[in-house]
Amino acid sequence: MPRTTQPQPADAAIELAGVNKWYGTFHVLKDINLSIRSGEKVVICGPSGSGKSTVVRCINRLEEHQKGSIRVDGIELTNDPQSVAAIRSDVGMVFQQFNLFPHLTVLENLTLGPIKARGISKSEAEAKAMHYLERVHIPDQAHKRPGQLSGGQQQRVAIARSLCMEPKVLLFDEPTSALDPEMISEVLDVMVELAEEGMTMVVVTHEMGFARKVADQMVFMDAGEIVEQGPPEEFFGSPRSPRCQKFLSQILQH
Amino acid sequence: MKKTLILLLPLLALAGCSSSSTWGWYVINPLTPSGWVNVKFLISGMGDTILISVIAAAISIGLGLIVALPGLAKSRGWRMVNRIYVEFIRSIPLLPMLFWVFYGLPIIFREMGMNVPIDPFWGAIITLALSDSAFTAEIYRAGIQSIAKGQTEAAQTIGLNYLQTMRYVILPQAIRRILPPLANQFIYIVKMSAFASVIGMQELTRRANELVVSEYRPLEIYTLLILEYLVLVLIISAGVRWLERRMGSDERG
């Protein structure tokens, strides 16, 4: 049974209630209930195939849920393209594979959304882009193509690209899993800084050091359901379910 | 193709040297006044062959994209629209389609109360563009599908709508894979434009047919005709290779 020690205010930034999803007959998400307040940092972990990425991808409609409700900033996510557009404008996403646009420069990657989707002027968009490139510590790479950057730099550009849309929530889908070990910390450092600045974050990751440092709420998923949920002290100190204990002992060994 | 040309030349030279009166290369010998008139007559079809091909290719490139997009949709209904179009159009041989467009389509227009005459020029263009569009649609579909799904997802998360995603993210990347096969389709169009001669279009093949009727030298005249197409296609091939090299260097940069 999931434990929730956090209060659940009505103005939750993200509210998942009884969310279910099937791929054909395969039940990937089983009755997911999750409430995330504005400014809260939630870390979702669990073995591969547990549905943790799917939860995050449902929040901005990269995947569709079939049952239950998802509300972001009070807007219910439905098939209505307007609700999808409204939610996507509030929610940024950082992918495991960065997904930068290889044919555009770093600067163009950052300004594409603001110029085309928001309709702001090119000079304003570029000023904003440079501002966020400085925040992720790579303003000097603005005119390179993504292919000329290291993995860690690419992921930081991807974070800056999301920030340029000035989202209320940032979703991270295993942001460091595709990186070489020596580049993980530069990306995590940027994420910690964002967390300190008060960004609402939902992070799927196995980086437990990061989780301990920034998480307000830990969520452990297995086989499509939330098995355990709570503040990090309790979660790491005294996990209750055997599945969570086993998972933590496996990934904390090293 | 170059090899064929090189093999062919000595053969023709041999034929020209022969004392036998079976050969009559003089009809297309540009060094004699009457031969030069004939050669000029044959080459005068070049303009229309190129014009028909270029316009048909331009239409096919636009139409192919419009047909390809529903083929990439999530909805089964849209994909069905794409499949039916592609399977139907590419199953029709060019000549029957040409007859249908040139002789049949005006009747449909007339029944609908519209006076849209279809001359040989536009009849040929419509037929070539329609026929080719089924193939260009498949080229677009394959090219767009070869771009990783993550690109579309990233574009969606920064708020781009479907058309913006295509215009700014997917097509600029897909075009590098699409352009070389599209250029090959252009060669196909140039060759198939010869069918326009059947409905009276004064292009290369028609000119040759007309000259054969008056000179009665089919071997010599059709040989020159083939060489005319060969030259056209070699020029396009060189263009395609230049394009591929340029695209390749773009990707590295």
Side-chain angles (χ1 to χ4, degrees):
Chain A
M1 188 172 140
R3 296 178 295 167
T4 41
T5 50
Q6 301 288 342
Q8 306 218 346
D11 65 334
I14 303 175
E15 180 88 54
L16 283 80
V19 171
N20 280 272
K21 178 174 176 60
W22 290 264
Y23 287 128
T25 56
F26 180 57
H27 201 171
V28 268
L29 295 182
K30 300 170 187 162
D31 256 336
I32 302 294
N33 292 293
L34 185 61
S35 180
I36 300 165
R37 283 173 296 117
S38 178
E40 200 175 15
K41 289 90 182 112
V42 177
V43 169
I44 305 177
C45 61
S48 66
S50 59
K52 54 196 190 309
S53 287
T54 311
V55 168
V56 166
R57 290 167 58 84
C58 278
I59 294 174
N60 66 353
R61 205 47 157 205
L62 291 179
E63 308 265 359
E64 256 174 66
H65 61 285
Q66 279 111 25
K67 216 178 123 197
S69 78
I70 297 177
R71 300 175 77 85
V72 178
D73 214 35
I75 308 163
E76 165 120 33
L77 190 52
T78 63
N79 275 326
D80 177 14
Q82 277 189 329
S83 98
V84 176
I87 284 174
R88 282 186 182 153
S89 82
D90 279 351
V91 179
M93 174 112 175
V94 175
F95 299 88
Q96 180 176 355
Q97 301 294 340
F98 330 134
N99 294 348
L100 293 175
F101 308 130
H103 59 299
L104 301 178
T105 65
V106 165
L107 195 63
E108 288 165 342
N109 265 275
L110 267 61
T111 56
L112 184 63
I115 293 174
K116 301 303 174 191
R118 289 278 158 81
I120 73 172
S121 75
K122 191 175 176 224
S123 59
E124 202 183 329
E126 284 180 353
K128 196 196 293 261
M130 288 313 296
H131 168 74
Y132 286 115
L133 276 181
E134 265 159 46
R135 259 178 71 172
V136 299
H137 315 299
I138 38 174
D140 46 329
Q141 312 285 1
H143 298 287
K144 288 191 181 162
R145 294 275 173 98
Q148 296 169 284
L149 306 183
S150 72
Q153 289 173 324
Q154 289 190 47
Q155 192 60 298
R156 285 186 284 151
V157 170
I159 292 171
R161 180 174 67 181
S162 302
L163 291 173
C164 280
M165 297 304 288
E166 300 183 325
K168 294 180 179 156
V169 179
L170 257 188
L171 308 174
F172 293 83
D173 186 6
E174 305 208 27
T176 57
S177 300
L179 294 175
D180 290 333
E182 74 271 20
M183 292 169 184
I184 290 176
S185 66
E186 66 188 62
V187 171
L188 291 179
D189 287 347
V190 166
M191 290 168 64
V192 170
E193 285 164 28
L194 277 176
E196 283 164 356
E197 286 161 29
M199 174 66 78
T200 308
M201 292 163 69
V202 183
V203 186
V204 173
T205 187
H206 291 151
E207 295 294 333
M208 289 302 130
F210 168 81
R212 273 181 211 271
K213 202 183 286 178
V214 306
D216 300 308
Q217 201 184 153
M218 291 295 303
V219 174
F220 173 72
M221 288 185 68
D222 190 21
E225 51 193 0
I226 293 182
V227 176
E228 189 143 343
Q229 191 175 4
E233 314 83 62
E234 279 178 38
F235 181 84
F236 289 111
S238 51
R240 288 191 189 165
S241 72
R243 278 192 282 183
C244 189
Q245 287 166 2
K246 182 165 171 255
F247 177 76
L248 285 175
S249 74
Q250 280 168 342
I251 63 168
L252 293 177
Q253 258 171 8
H254 307 288
Chain B
M1 246 182 271
K2 266 181 189 157
K3 262 188 195 154
T4 329
L5 182 62
I6 291 161
L7 280 174
L8 211 60
L9 283 176
L11 199 73
L12 294 179
L14 200 73
C17 294
S18 159
S19 58
S20 157
S21 60
T22 319
W23 304 101
W25 293 103
Y26 62 87
V27 278
I28 51 161
N29 182 353
L31 301 176
T32 65
S34 64
W36 177 234
V37 169
N38 285 345
V39 168
K40 271 201 301 194
F41 179 75
L42 286 173
I43 290 177
S44 67
M46 189 76 87
D48 272 336
T49 288
I50 293 173
L51 200 59
I52 289 176
S53 304
V54 168
I55 297 175
I59 295 173
S60 168
I61 282 169
L63 191 58
L65 181 59
I66 293 168
V67 173
L69 292 180
L72 297 155
K74 268 191 203 151
S75 111
R76 193 171 290 192
W78 281 116
R79 288 207 309 271
M80 192 75 101
V81 170
N82 166 276
R83 283 333 296 166
I84 290 173
Y85 183 95
V86 169
E87 297 298 346
F88 184 70
I89 295 290
R90 79 175 167 194
S91 72
I92 308 174
L94 198 72
L95 196 54
M97 196 196 282
L98 187 65
F99 289 152
W100 192 89
V101 167
F102 186 63
Y103 298 112
L105 205 50
I107 298 173
I108 294 181
F109 282 134
R110 212 181 309 137
E111 288 298 313
M112 288 164 70
M114 288 182 291
N115 182 27
V116 185
I118 294 183
D119 59 11
F121 183 75
W122 285 104
I125 287 173
I126 292 169
T127 306
L128 286 168
L130 265 181
S131 163
D132 191 55
S133 66
F135 296 92
T136 47
E138 289 294 88
I139 290 168
Y140 276 114
R141 197 166 63 89
I144 290 169
Q145 276 173 339
S146 74
I147 303 302
K149 201 164 152 259
Q151 292 288 309
T152 307
E153 292 180 350
Q156 285 172 346
T157 60
I158 57 164
L160 300 188
N161 63 32
Y162 176 74
L163 286 178
Q164 290 171 328
T165 302
M166 277 294 154
R167 164 77 183 78
Y168 299 110
V169 176
I170 305 300
L171 284 178
Q173 296 182 62
I175 205 75
R176 291 182 180 141
R177 297 167 201 191
I178 288 171
L179 261 179
L182 273 191
N184 279 330
Q185 279 308 117
F186 183 52
I187 292 175
Y188 165 87
I189 288 189
V190 169
K191 295 198 297 180
M192 293 305 141
S193 72
F195 278 111
S197 63
V198 179
I199 54 169
M201 190 63 221
Q202 300 279 326
E203 43 65 75
L204 287 177
T205 303
R206 177 77 177 200
R207 295 285 189 202
N209 281 338
E210 285 170 356
L211 197 64
V212 165
V213 170
S214 61
E215 296 281 351
Y216 203 67
R217 284 286 174 191
L219 171 70
E220 296 79 1
I221 291 164
Y222 287 135
T223 302
L224 184 66
L225 175 65
I226 286 169
L227 291 178
E228 285 177 298
Y229 282 108
L230 183 65
V231 167
L232 262 184
V233 171
L234 283 177
I235 291 170
I236 300 168
S237 300
V240 174
R241 274 197 302 280
W242 174 80
L243 210 63
E244 279 171 347
R245 271 200 306 277
R246 243 190 74 138
M247 291 289 157
S249 67
D250 266 13
E251 202 145 352
R252 281 194 297 276

